[in-house]
Amino acid sequence: MAPHAEDAPTGLADPKTGSQEPVNAGEAPLEPGVKKSIARGKMIEFPRPPKFEDKYAEREYLKGRLAAAFRIFGKNGFDEGVAGHITLRDPVQPDTFWVNPFGVAFSHINKSDLIQVDHSGTVIDGGEVRLLNTAAYMIHHAIHEARPDVICAAHSHSIYGRTWCSLGRKIDTLTQDACAFHGDHVVYDSFNGVVLAETEGKDIAKALGQKKAALLQSHGLLTVGHTIEEAVFWFVSLEKCCHSQLMAEAAAGSRGEKPIVIDDETAQYTYRTVGSHRAGWFAAKPMFDQIHRETGGAHLQ
């Protein structure tokens, strides 16, 4: 991914004035322009992803988060038919990953349903249903192999994402939310049907490079993250950005106009707040909390 300032959100100058003073006198710990003295005090209270000394305990925790991720996808309608997959790099065996069993509804997935896949595409552990989506293996294996920093990768055929991907264009930076993807997403401009070939997966990984998201032409969205939460939030947010731009272009076009694009300097400035790894993790937290409350923790079984 592009360089981030997530671990040093203090002392950022207003790019328009050069001032180190808070732009709007705010005190949010990740807000650009906040004084170091204010931000350091606030960061003490700011939540962070949990850390584990025991890799097996970490595996169990992350599998629970992955199950919740599928519930979130199901809740948002990202589960048409059997398409779509989210993968988790295993902390115990990093050259393997956990993924959903092929043909099981996202909204029903529990931790015990997940399957573990090795580097050759063999299912080596997991739930009762051990069918593996070949496309899931081809795409995600290539990404996890090419990007050691990626813990989670998410892909599905969401309606607005796949509609936007038919245009073969990046999204424009029209809104604050879209700033999270400013200079940090790509278009994969090839479509050769369902990804069943190893070379296609490698080509997608190569096109993604160090970015957080890819628009797969005539296919759909792909997002990655240093945490499950981050990858999931980027997917949900990118889907909504696609929806927003489709509506903005239709509305503006009806008047013979074009949507207003945020200037590059402001977009980069905003990206530092809304586009970091930690910002993605924290933005997803309410969704995961909601799933836990709605299921009563049943997804952890």
Side-chain angles (χ1 to χ4, degrees), residues 212-247:
K212 65 159 62 90
L215 307 176
L216 309 181
Q217 189 168 302
S218 306
H219 192 171
L221 309 180
L222 172 72
T223 59
V224 299
H226 287 188
T227 61
I228 296 170
E229 293 86 351
E230 182 192 352
V232 168
F233 182 74
W234 297 145
F235 191 98
V236 173
S237 184
L238 185 55
E239 167 75 357
K240 292 183 177 181
C241 286
C242 290
H243 188 182
S244 175
Q245 185 158 352
L246 287 166
M247 292 193 296

Side-chain angles (χ1 to χ4, degrees), residues 129-288:
V129 178
R130 296 198 173 188
L131 290 176
L132 173 63
N133 183 332
T134 301
Y137 169 72
M138 293 302 178
I139 296 173
H140 291 256
H141 168 66
I143 290 171
H144 284 294
E145 186 173 50
R147 291 279 301 277
D149 63 308
V150 167
I151 300 301
C152 180
H155 167 67
S156 193
H157 300 173
S158 54
I159 184 64
Y160 298 108
R162 76 189 190 208
T163 302
W164 181 261
C165 287
S166 71
L167 305 179
R169 294 168 49 198
K170 293 182 181 180
I171 62 165
D172 294 323
T173 312
L174 302 182
T175 64
Q176 177 175 302
D177 303 284
C179 288
F181 303 97
H182 184 74
D184 206 4
H185 73 289
V186 300
V187 172
Y188 176 67
D189 60 0
S190 176
F191 178 71
N192 298 300
V194 179
V195 182
L196 301 178
E198 183 178 1
T199 54
E200 182 81 351
K202 289 183 176 180
D203 287 344
I204 291 173
K206 183 178 180 180
L208 176 65
Q210 297 301 306
K211 308 297 186 184
K212 65 159 62 90
L215 307 176
L216 309 181
Q217 189 168 302
S218 306
H219 192 171
L221 309 180
L222 172 72
T223 59
V224 299
H226 287 188
T227 61
I228 296 170
E229 293 86 351
E230 182 192 352
V232 168
F233 182 74
W234 297 145
F235 191 98
V236 173
S237 184
L238 185 55
E239 167 75 357
K240 292 183 177 181
C241 286
C242 290
H243 188 182
S244 175
Q245 185 158 352
L246 287 166
M247 292 193 296
E249 291 197 354
S254 70
R255 298 169 59 89
E257 301 171 351
K258 292 184 178 181
I260 298 171
V261 177
I262 297 171
D263 67 271
D264 186 66
E265 182 181 50
T266 303
Q268 290 186 42
Y269 179 60
T270 308
Y271 173 88
R272 292 172 68 88
T273 297
V274 301
S276 71
H277 301 301
R278 185 152 326 137
W281 174 84
F282 186 61
K285 185 178 179 297
M287 294 190 291
F288 282 78

Side-chain angles (χ1 to χ4, degrees), residues 2-221:
H4 299 299
E6 63 175 337
D7 291 321
T10 62
L12 298 178
D14 184 336
K16 297 176 181 176
T17 66
S19 171
Q20 290 285 343
E21 295 298 313
V23 174
N24 293 308
E27 295 188 357
L30 294 183
E31 181 181 336
V34 174
K35 290 181 179 179
K36 288 184 179 181
S37 59
I38 294 175
R40 283 174 179 164
K42 293 294 182 181
M43 284 303 291
I44 295 172
E45 305 167 8
F46 202 76
R48 298 169 182 263
K51 294 185 178 180
F52 295 84
E53 293 184 5
D54 183 341
K55 291 296 183 182
Y56 289 93
E58 182 178 8
R59 170 192 277 175
E60 291 307 306
Y61 172 79
L62 293 178
K63 285 173 63 181
R65 300 303 270 184
L66 183 58
F70 284 111
R71 299 292 186 112
I72 290 169
F73 267 39
K75 186 179 180 70
N76 281 277
F78 303 157
D79 57 348
E80 185 173 340
V82 297
H85 17 85
I86 311 173
T87 53
L88 160 70
R89 185 189 299 275
D90 184 67
V92 179
Q93 298 171 276
D95 61 342
T96 70
F97 60 79
W98 295 86
V99 68
N100 50 306
F102 197 26
V104 176
F106 286 2
S107 297
H108 295 168
I109 288 180
N110 293 330
K111 181 171 75 170
S112 58
D113 294 318
L114 301 170
I115 57 175
Q116 187 180 15
V117 181
D118 71 9
H119 60 88
S120 67
T122 301
V123 177
I124 59 175
D125 198 2
E128 188 173 319
V129 178
R130 296 198 173 188
L131 290 176
L132 173 63
N133 183 332
T134 301
Y137 169 72
M138 293 302 178
I139 296 173
H140 291 256
H141 168 66
I143 290 171
H144 284 294
E145 186 173 50
R147 291 279 301 277
D149 63 308
V150 167
I151 300 301
C152 180
H155 167 67
S156 193
H157 300 173
S158 54
I159 184 64
Y160 298 108
R162 76 189 190 208
T163 302
W164 181 261
C165 287
S166 71
L167 305 179
R169 294 168 49 198
K170 293 182 181 180
I171 62 165
D172 294 323
T173 312
L174 302 182
T175 64
Q176 177 175 302
D177 303 284
C179 288
F181 303 97
H182 184 74
D184 206 4
H185 73 289
V186 300
V187 172
Y188 176 67
D189 60 0
S190 176
F191 178 71
N192 298 300
V194 179
V195 182
L196 301 178
E198 183 178 1
T199 54
E200 182 81 351
K202 289 183 176 180
D203 287 344
I204 291 173
K206 183 178 180 180
L208 176 65
Q210 297 301 306
K211 308 297 186 184
K212 65 159 62 90
L215 307 176
L216 309 181
Q217 189 168 302
S218 306
H219 192 171
L221 309 180

